Amino acid sequence: MPDIQIMPSILAADFGCLAEGCQRAEAAGADQIHVDVMDGVFVPNISFGPEAVKASVAAVSIPQNVHLMITKPQNYIRDFADAGSDTIQIHVESQCDVQETLAAIRALGKRPAITLNPETPVESIFPCLENRWVDEVLVMSVHPGFGGQKYMASAEAKIATIRRMADWVDIAIDGGIDNETVAPAAGAGANLFVAGSYLFKQDDMKAAVAGLREVARKNFCKAL
Ligand code: DX5
Ligand code: ZN
């Protein structure tokens, strides 16, 4: 079984004390910090740049899972690598040569990952799997840009297709994950779970992280 991991998204943390948000997630048993980078063009919102990744790296010792919702990710790979990212996710819909950009991420010693929007067919990422350009796929279960949106179950068919094709790949799901939606997502074969608003609104984040992990473990690949 691939590692089941929980990745709190600091988009849902208090921007006035980001370091504390990261530390809270780490203390709660999170496996990685998910950093949502938005440029206001690829998505209708602006969030963090490489400095936020640096601040998170300085605050915690768990890996940084960096989701680039930006139009030209190829221009910023080095900045995010230098900032301390561990996994760098680019969108298949962005304006870049996907193969080259993923290779650049790997050449910098980072884990390359591809991500796709809800309306994008899963076939668009097949070359990334067939040629092993990626270590991870991030399936969007909301339209990217904002936290706190409703989970779209249509992501599950994509996850199942990817899991059947590639048992070696990490499949992350991002958007609307909570103690209920985690079950069908894991059932389809996801093993990494981004959760923003659900985790940061908890009084006991540690129990919530453990709860997500337990439900994910129990349900993993059950629907395949
Ligand atoms: C959306 C981001 C998500 C977001 C998830 O564009 O990619 O990572 O922070 O937030 P929740 O878990 O609140 O849907
Ligand atoms: Zn994200």
Side-chain angles (χ1 to χ4, degrees):
M1 191 201 276
D3 216 16
I4 301 282
Q5 295 196 3
I6 310 301
M7 314 198 289
S9 164
I10 54 162
L11 190 66
D14 180 346
F15 277 37
C17 38
L18 222 42
E20 285 85 341
C22 296
Q23 285 159 352
R24 186 175 166 221
E26 182 177 48
D31 299 286
Q32 304 189 40
I33 300 285
H34 184 79
V35 185
D36 285 304
V37 176
M38 305 177 183
D39 67 356
V41 179
F42 186 77
V43 290
N45 192 10
I46 300 179
S47 60
F48 310 119
E51 290 303 318
V53 176
K54 258 192 214 165
S56 180
V57 168
V60 297
S61 56
I62 53 178
Q64 305 291 317
N65 183 276
V66 178
H67 179 189
L68 298 183
M69 286 162 272
I70 63 180
T71 311
K72 297 194 172 173
Q74 68 277 27
N75 296 349
Y76 299 92
I77 297 306
R78 182 171 287 280
D79 291 344
F80 282 99
D82 289 349
S85 310
D86 293 284
T87 300
I88 300 180
Q89 301 158 339
I90 62 162
H91 268 268
V92 72
E93 305 88 357
S94 63
Q95 291 171 20
C96 73
D97 181 318
V98 166
Q99 179 181 0
E100 257 177 34
T101 309
L102 292 169
I105 295 170
R106 209 184 278 292
L108 288 163
K110 307 299 177 179
R111 294 178 74 247
I114 192 79
T115 174
L116 74 167
N117 285 336
E119 66 276 9
T120 303
V122 69
E123 289 77 12
S124 65
I125 63 141
F126 283 2
C128 300
L129 296 172
E130 286 159 359
N131 300 295
R132 297 214 183 199
W133 297 335
V134 294
D135 293 338
E136 180 177 318
V137 179
L138 178 84
V139 177
M140 292 306 301
S141 43
V142 295
H143 295 290
F146 300 92
Q149 302 182 74
K150 192 176 177 306
Y151 173 80
M152 298 163 81
S154 54
E156 290 156 21
K158 287 184 188 172
I159 293 170
T161 300
I162 297 164
R163 181 55 76 212
R164 287 194 185 101
M165 268 180 87
D167 60 359
W168 50 269
V169 81
D170 279 318
I171 305 178
I173 181 148
D174 186 7
I177 290 298
D178 60 23
N179 55 339
E180 287 178 4
T181 56
V182 67
N191 65 299
L192 307 181
F193 302 86
V194 177
S197 43
Y198 172 70
L199 287 178
F200 278 94
K201 76 176 182 210
Q202 302 289 331
D203 292 329
D204 187 348
M205 196 195 279
K206 193 172 191 166
V209 167
L212 288 179
R213 197 179 278 121
E214 195 193 331
V215 177
R217 280 209 181 113
K218 266 193 201 141
N219 286 277
F220 182 67
C221 286
K222 229 177 165 177
L224 295 186

